Amino acid sequence: MARKKEIPQEKIDLKLLNWLNDTSFFNQDDGMDCLPLYIKQNLKHSLRDYQFSAIHNLDAVKKRFGNDNDYNQLMFYMATGSGKTDIMAAVILYMYHVWNYQCFLFTTNTTAVVSKTIDNLTNSASPKYLYQDPLTIDGQRVIIKQVTDFPVNLEKNTIYIKFSGIQQLSNDFNIPRENGITKVSLKRHKLVILADEAHHFNVGTRSSKKESTESKSWESLLDKIRGLNLQNEQLEFTATIDLHNPDIYHKYQNKVIAQYDLSRFINDGYSKQVYRLQANNSNENKMLNAVLLSQYRKRIAQNMEIPDFKPVILFKSNTIAESKAVNEQFLSMIDNLSAESLQEFVQSQNQSNQSEALNFAYEYWLKQDFGETVAELKHDFRELTTVNANDSGSKGLLYHSDVATKLNTLESPDNPVRSVFAVAKLSEGWDVLNLYDIVRIGEKNIKPKDTNAEAQLIGRGARYNPFVYHGKKSYVRRFDDRKPEIQLLERLYYHTINNPQYLENLRKSLDAIDLPVNEDTKFKIFTANVKSSFKRTSAYRHGNIYYNKVEIVPALNYDSIQKYGFDPSTTEPVDLISATSERQINTGADRNDQASTELVNVASFSNPADKALINTAISFNDFFRFDKLKKQCPTLTSVRELLTSDKWLGHAVVQACVAVGTKLTPQLRLRVVEKYLMRVNNALVNNFQRSKGTNEFQPVAVHEVIQDYSKRVRDAFSDPHAAQIHPESMKGKDWFVYDYAIVDFLEKSFIDKLGAEIPHIKEKFKNAYLLRIDERNSNFKLHDFWEVIYRYEGYMPDFVLYLDNEDYIYQIYMEPKGEQLLVRDSWKEELLERINPENVVVLGEIDNVKLYGVKFYVEDNKGHQDLHHMMDDLREKIDWS
């Protein structure tokens, strides 16, 4: 039978969702402007923007269409790990409070998901319970009851939830039993069906003859239950829906009311980064590598004083028999480990290893005492800390309570489990957060359906682990800008096998669920050494480079918003576009395609018509209560002064970047203002009593700054958008102080442009040297200095041009800059232009040192050079022409 033709991706049009994203039918008093208190105060977790948007969209559909049969089945299409159950918990409160629903039927296809959802929604003693205890709405305590059947008479202030696997629900519906649910009881009260992992309930729609008749009946069953009462609603939740199947697309194009893709979820920082680690190793070597990497993570966390950090490994096999055998092999391997054998293993692997992550681990363990390491591994990876989670039935491997308890409490400090052995049933119903390594065992009989399940498992394993660091939990990644070793605490590694067909299937499976996976390959290491000829010069041996001193800004000096580094006239618009960034090959710079976007004014603090909107946004942020605000703003006399004074936000205009033609709803306007005020909040907190630059420049020896350095660059094949950084030989160019310039295309163009002028410069100066400043010199920075400071952070340009003759030493600070960064970094260019002999004092010298900064060197994406006329600026200041 011929396969059904897939719908081209560009033709998919989720009409209801598009309408919701562009609604203009409700005014400020209609719809849900912000998360209501009865939801906000009763949930343990604060809802994220996309979760609130999902509930807002449900509210919009309900208020517009009511119980219209065309809109009594709706879908939340949300990424794995994005908090669908949090949305479900909020939806229950919403449907109860706004629409008077007291009866809810939760169903899904696996007993495991049922069990964990019971804990989520009804077990207040569970650490995964999602509500505050007690739950109160409008001053009345509300009880949530788990029931086997809905009562004839509903009690006031009570929510009833029936939990049932879809198979059990089918049995109860078709073969009534005593105390069980029946058609009569389901018809008695209006009902909300909560269908989780709902892609399993579309089998009939998919119309595949290969699917079981039983599975097809599940979809029909829910249709029948929904039809028992005209007010019944069916709300579906899934991370997987095949919209390229024409039948599925036709059914759901007017039912999807929320969509949050996995790639967006990961890029927004709500999950671990995912890396694929491929190694040509035996099963035993792969398992030991995973153990060493996992234990290295634990050591990193200990060194960073992160409490109770316990990374878990999942060893995934093809068959139960193989998994059990590998489990035994693993325990035997650990038991037989010795200091000598481990040292030999690490040294051997380190010689042929291509994994960046394993390289970090090997280098670390080679510096440790192997006897102590073996004792530690034998304690942490033994039978007590291992769980075999295999099953041979259809109920799922989480069905047995002892296994379920171990697997569902892996984050608990009291749970010692570090390794899990399983086959194929963990893709749904497993909410572990501290899974950091998934190791694929075995290379036989690997089909596309197997890699589809693995892709789902990787997505679930990528859930972020909100560990405590510096006394605080975070639910988003916080180490993306830290050293790669530290980033291991926020990365999931999938250890794959080296089977070409398997890898191709896995790539397709990952693409199908929109899961971005990074390659774990070693970085190329490029080294730049200071030339011997430069080391013999007086400039290197006796010369200095200058940076300015800093001073603490007195508290009473903070008398305007600009003193906190926040300038309302130049702050960037709030971005409402989920833009894709493209890296230019010719410049190594990022640029966004802005052809389909525009800037719109959202609110003006001086406009009386926007006062209610701004006050509403202010009310949602406790920081703007005057008692808290006063601690950061000692000169403020009132919140009103902050909002109306010209020295503060009186003339601020809030802008947003939106898709062309977007109509901003009141809800979106409120969200934009809230985000803007959060920027104000951060500026007032982070920049209070900071250090600011002065005009006094102090010396540091050239030989302390200019030293050999290395730069790590990822191979281009693993990241096609990476900046094309490479070493450029500088042999024969005595004016460049390193033997190689490790640069991207823009920096190379800058060096070439300046190099062409060196002969002319040397007509006036005896010596001319271009110093490349290594970014590792974190203490050697320029700080903004002027009456009003917009930025407090330090900054050092990439290059310093060092010139000298018999009378003077000139130093010119220079920076090539990508065109897309000009607005963000305009303050840096202003700082450079401010540096000249009239504005600065050089400490420790007389008048023979002259410091200058020049404009940025800028190219556009068409290759047009020196758009800011840096060379003209340089010629004017050092007058070599």
Side-chain angles (χ1 to χ4, degrees):
M1 178 178 176
R3 294 182 60 188
K4 291 185 179 180
K5 186 177 180 181
E6 290 187 344
I7 301 172
Q9 188 168 355
E10 63 269 16
K11 291 186 179 180
I12 288 180
D13 180 17
L14 298 177
K15 295 180 179 179
L16 179 59
L17 184 60
N18 291 339
W19 173 79
L20 285 164
N21 289 337
D22 193 30
T23 50
S24 57
F25 65 90
F26 48 93
N27 56 39
Q28 185 76 26
D29 296 322
D30 243 328
M32 189 182 290
D33 296 331
C34 59
L35 193 64
L37 289 179
Y38 70 86
I39 295 178
K40 187 175 183 179
Q41 293 178 347
N42 282 305
L43 293 184
K44 278 189 177 178
H45 302 151
S46 297
L47 293 186
R48 300 163 181 166
D49 285 349
Y50 65 86
Q51 292 171 322
F52 165 69
S53 295
I55 299 167
H56 163 268
N57 287 355
L58 173 62
D59 179 63
V61 172
K62 284 289 294 176
K63 287 181 176 175
R64 179 64 182 264
F65 301 108
N67 292 110
D68 190 313
N69 281 340
D70 290 334
Y71 297 95
N72 66 1
Q73 181 184 7
L74 303 170
M75 173 173 278
F76 297 87
Y77 179 21
M78 313 294 287
T80 295
S82 62
K84 296 190 295 293
T85 316
D86 281 305
I87 296 174
M88 192 182 299
V91 163
I92 289 172
L93 298 182
Y94 167 78
M95 295 298 288
Y96 164 77
H97 184 64
V98 178
W99 301 99
N100 302 313
Y101 284 84
Q102 290 185 253
C103 298
F104 296 82
L105 171 62
F106 175 89
T107 189
T108 188
N109 72 309
T110 63
T111 307
V113 178
V114 173
S115 298
K116 66 106 174 176
T117 309
I118 290 173
D119 271 0
N120 291 153
L121 300 179
T122 66
N123 183 5
S124 60
S126 169
K128 296 193 175 184
Y129 184 57
L130 297 178
Y131 294 116
Q132 297 289 354
D133 188 25
L135 193 159
T136 59
I137 297 179
D138 293 342
Q140 299 292 317
R141 182 166 183 176
V142 177
I143 305 299
I144 298 181
K145 287 186 177 181
Q146 178 188 354
V147 295
T148 57
D149 191 13
F150 298 110
V152 175
N153 298 311
L154 303 179
E155 298 177 11
K156 187 179 180 182
N157 299 327
T158 304
I159 295 172
Y160 301 90
I161 308 180
K162 162 73 176 177
F163 296 90
S164 178
I166 190 68
Q167 182 58 61
Q168 185 61 53
L169 182 63
S170 177
N171 293 340
D172 291 345
F173 187 84
N174 294 306
I175 309 173
R177 58 186 175 84
E178 187 176 359
N179 298 323
I181 204 162
T182 65
K183 295 179 184 178
V184 174
S185 62
L186 287 171
K187 187 176 183 179
R188 188 180 297 131
H189 309 291
K190 63 180 182 180
L191 173 71
V192 178
I193 303 169
L194 303 171
D196 199 12
E197 306 295 352
H199 52 282
H200 291 291
F201 306 142
N202 297 316
V203 179
T205 297
R206 290 199 297 268
S207 303
S208 172
K209 289 186 177 180
K210 293 182 180 180
E211 302 287 358
S212 69
T213 304
E214 177 188 73
S215 297
K216 289 182 181 181
S217 70
W218 295 347
E219 183 175 21
S220 174
L221 170 67
L222 295 182
D223 290 341
K224 290 176 182 177
I225 295 175
R226 191 173 67 254
L228 291 175
N229 188 313
L230 292 177
Q231 297 188 72
N232 283 356
E233 299 272 353
Q234 183 169 324
L235 303 179
E236 302 181 358
F237 301 81
T238 188
T240 307
I241 180 171
D242 184 11
L243 292 172
H244 290 282
N245 179 301
D247 295 318
I248 297 290
Y249 171 70
H250 178 74
K251 176 179 178 180
Y252 280 100
Q253 65 175 334
N254 282 313
K255 297 185 186 303
V256 175
I257 61 170
Q259 182 178 13
Y260 191 64
D261 295 333
L262 190 55
S263 61
R264 184 179 169 195
F265 180 62
I266 291 177
N267 291 332
D268 286 349
Y270 290 122
S271 77
K272 305 182 189 87
Q273 292 275 20
V274 181
Y275 280 75
R276 185 181 72 86
L277 192 161
Q278 179 180 331
N280 297 319
N281 265 323
S282 65
N283 287 341
E284 186 168 310
N285 287 354
K286 285 168 66 176
M287 289 191 290
L288 187 51
N289 274 329
V291 165
L292 290 171
L293 180 57
S294 181
Q295 201 68 1
Y296 175 50
R297 274 198 197 87
K298 184 178 178 181
R299 287 282 189 95
I300 293 173
Q302 289 173 344
N303 292 336
M304 295 175 66
E305 298 182 348
I306 296 173
D308 303 322
F309 188 90
K310 186 191 64 173
V312 170
I313 309 171
L314 169 66
F315 297 102
K316 181 172 173 55
S317 303
N318 294 325
T319 66
I320 293 174
E322 182 180 36
S323 183
K324 290 180 177 179
V326 168
N327 189 171
E328 294 175 3
Q329 183 183 11
F330 175 81
L331 293 174
S332 176
M333 174 191 73
I334 296 295
D335 188 54
N336 294 324
L337 205 59
S338 67
E340 293 76 14
S341 65
L342 182 61
Q343 182 175 6
E344 181 181 351
F345 175 81
V346 172
Q347 290 173 339
S348 173
Q349 292 283 304
N350 196 33
Q351 292 175 359
S352 59
N353 164 59
Q354 293 299 314
S355 160
E356 182 196 25
L358 288 177
N359 182 67
F360 291 144
Y362 295 147
E363 293 298 327
Y364 174 80
W365 292 120
L366 285 170
K367 298 174 184 176
Q368 308 305 308
D369 183 287
F370 279 96
E372 293 180 1
T373 300
V374 168
E376 185 177 313
L377 296 181
K378 289 188 176 185
H379 176 271
D380 281 17
F381 295 92
R382 49 188 167 136
E383 190 167 5
L384 176 66
T385 66
T386 297
V387 59
N388 194 302
N390 290 298
D391 77 298
S392 57
S394 61
K395 293 183 177 180
L397 55 82
L398 301 186
Y399 176 70
H400 301 291
S401 60
D402 56 336
V403 174
T405 299
K406 289 180 180 179
L407 292 174
N408 287 332
T409 61
L410 281 173
E411 299 97 337
S412 171
D414 298 327
N415 183 331
V417 171
R418 290 289 303 278
S419 56
V420 178
F421 289 81
V423 179
K425 295 289 182 72
L426 281 171
S427 57
E428 292 171 6
W430 197 34
D431 293 331
V432 64
L433 302 179
N434 56 334
L435 179 64
Y436 282 90
D437 293 278
I438 302 175
V439 184
R440 188 62 164 89
I441 302 293
E443 303 192 16
K444 297 179 180 178
N445 301 321
I446 300 171
K447 302 175 182 178
K449 68 176 183 179
D450 299 318
T451 55
N452 289 342
E454 289 181 25
Q456 290 290 335
L457 175 59
I458 296 170
R460 299 190 79 83
R463 294 184 176 199
Y464 187 75
N465 182 21
F467 52 83
V468 175
Y469 178 58
H470 286 172
K472 295 181 179 179
K473 270 192 175 185
S474 173
Y475 292 88
V476 294
R477 292 194 306 273
R478 44 189 156 180
F479 296 148
D480 282 357
D481 297 325
R482 300 286 293 274
K483 294 189 299 183
E485 299 94 313
I486 295 176
Q487 291 181 35
L488 290 177
L489 303 182
E490 297 181 328
R491 289 182 180 179
L492 170 74
Y493 279 80
Y494 188 65
H495 305 240
T496 61
I497 57 179
N498 188 25
N499 178 306
Q501 187 58 54
Y502 164 77
L503 294 175
E504 181 60 27
N505 289 342
L506 181 62
R507 273 191 287 269
K508 292 178 180 178
S509 297
L510 294 170
D511 288 343
I513 65 170
D514 195 28
L515 174 57
V517 175
N518 303 286
E519 292 285 351
D520 173 50
T521 55
K522 277 187 177 180
F523 284 83
K524 291 180 179 178
I525 306 296
F526 298 138
T527 300
N529 297 311
V530 181
K531 291 177 178 175
S532 299
S533 58
F534 180 65
K535 288 183 177 180
R536 293 192 293 267
T537 66
S538 176
Y540 179 80
R541 290 181 293 149
H542 307 298
N544 295 313
I545 303 178
Y546 295 85
Y547 66 103
N548 55 333
K549 296 175 66 176
V550 296
E551 63 183 12
I552 299 295
V553 180
L556 293 179
N557 194 56
Y558 288 89
D559 57 0
S560 72
I561 192 71
Q562 291 183 331
K563 297 290 183 66
Y564 292 83
F566 188 91
D567 186 357
S569 65
T570 60
T571 187
E572 295 179 3
V574 175
D575 190 3
L576 291 183
I577 302 294
S578 179
T580 300
S581 183
E582 173 186 316
R583 193 174 289 277
Q584 288 291 96
I585 292 179
N586 63 329
T587 64
D590 291 333
R591 70 182 179 94
N592 290 329
D593 181 5
Q594 299 179 340
S596 59
T597 66
E598 62 180 349
L599 292 182
V600 295
N601 289 343
V602 176
S604 173
F605 280 71
S606 61
N607 184 358
D610 293 331
K611 183 178 179 181
L613 176 64
I614 293 169
N615 286 339
T616 300
I618 283 280
S619 70
F620 292 132
N621 191 330
D622 290 343
F623 172 78
F624 291 102
R625 293 177 180 175
F626 186 65
D627 58 337
K628 293 185 179 180
L629 190 61
K630 184 69 173 177
K631 294 178 181 178
Q632 306 298 134
C633 306
T635 65
L636 269 183
T637 59
S638 65
V639 176
R640 184 176 183 276
E641 182 184 2
L642 173 72
L643 302 180
T644 61
S645 170
D646 292 348
K647 295 175 66 175
W648 297 90
L649 297 174
H651 286 301
V653 176
V654 181
Q655 291 186 312
C657 179
V658 301
V660 171
T662 297
K663 298 177 181 179
L664 283 182
T665 66
Q667 292 78 13
L668 280 178
R669 291 181 66 218
L670 179 63
R671 194 178 312 165
V672 170
V673 176
E674 285 186 273
K675 287 180 178 291
Y676 182 89
L677 288 171
M678 184 53 68
R679 292 182 184 176
V680 175
N681 180 345
N682 291 335
L684 296 180
V685 171
N686 296 331
N687 291 327
F688 181 52
Q689 292 192 317
R690 289 282 299 272
S691 297
K692 74 166 189 173
T694 70
N695 71 335
E696 295 183 342
F697 279 66
Q698 57 192 350
V700 58
V702 168
H703 62 79
E704 291 183 15
V705 177
I706 305 303
Q707 299 180 354
D708 299 347
Y709 74 96
S710 298
K711 192 173 186 68
R712 300 161 60 255
V713 180
R714 189 181 294 277
D715 286 331
F717 74 86
S718 63
D719 183 1
H721 301 300
Q724 302 299 300
I725 297 174
H726 63 284
E728 185 79 15
S729 175
M730 302 304 289
K731 185 177 181 180
K733 300 176 181 179
D734 291 341
W735 50 272
F736 195 85
V737 303
Y738 287 101
D739 57 354
Y740 283 92
I742 305 172
V743 291
D744 61 20
F745 291 109
L746 176 62
E747 292 166 332
K748 181 181 184 302
S749 178
F750 161 80
I751 291 173
D752 290 345
K753 190 85 171 177
L754 185 64
E757 301 293 341
I758 290 294
H760 303 297
I761 293 175
K762 284 192 171 182
E763 292 176 4
K764 178 175 180 179
F765 294 93
K766 179 182 178 181
N767 297 303
Y769 305 108
L770 184 61
L771 313 180
R772 173 63 188 259
I773 307 300
D774 177 17
E775 58 263 28
R776 293 176 303 173
N777 288 299
S778 57
N779 294 324
F780 176 58
K781 292 181 178 180
L782 302 179
H783 289 80
D784 201 2
F785 64 98
W786 212 240
E787 293 181 2
V788 176
I789 302 298
Y790 295 130
R791 300 278 185 160
Y792 290 93
E793 63 266 37
Y795 152 71
M796 176 51 68
D798 288 338
F799 297 92
V800 174
L801 182 61
Y802 185 106
L803 309 173
D804 66 37
N805 56 26
E806 292 80 4
D807 299 319
Y808 293 105
I809 295 175
Y810 279 66
Q811 288 185 21
I812 300 95
Y813 304 95
M814 316 178 80
E815 174 95 341
K817 184 66 62 177
E819 192 176 24
Q820 83 291 343
L821 299 175
L822 291 177
V823 174
R824 190 194 73 182
D825 288 348
S826 61
W827 71 275
K828 296 179 181 178
E829 187 171 40
E830 293 170 6
L831 168 58
L832 294 182
E833 293 182 275
R834 200 170 291 146
I835 299 174
N836 63 64
E838 297 176 359
N839 294 333
V840 305
V841 175
V842 180
L843 299 178
E845 303 289 344
I846 308 177
D847 294 323
N848 67 323
V849 174
K850 296 184 180 296
L851 306 181
Y852 288 98
V854 293
K855 296 177 181 294
F856 286 154
Y857 177 81
V858 181
E859 293 182 358
D860 64 15
N861 56 17
K862 297 180 180 179
H864 300 140
Q865 299 181 338
D866 201 8
L867 300 183
H868 283 205
H869 306 289
M870 180 205 73
M871 295 305 302
D872 292 338
D873 194 17
L874 180 62
R875 290 189 186 94
E876 180 181 340
K877 287 177 176 174
I878 65 175
D879 188 25
W880 81 73
S881 58

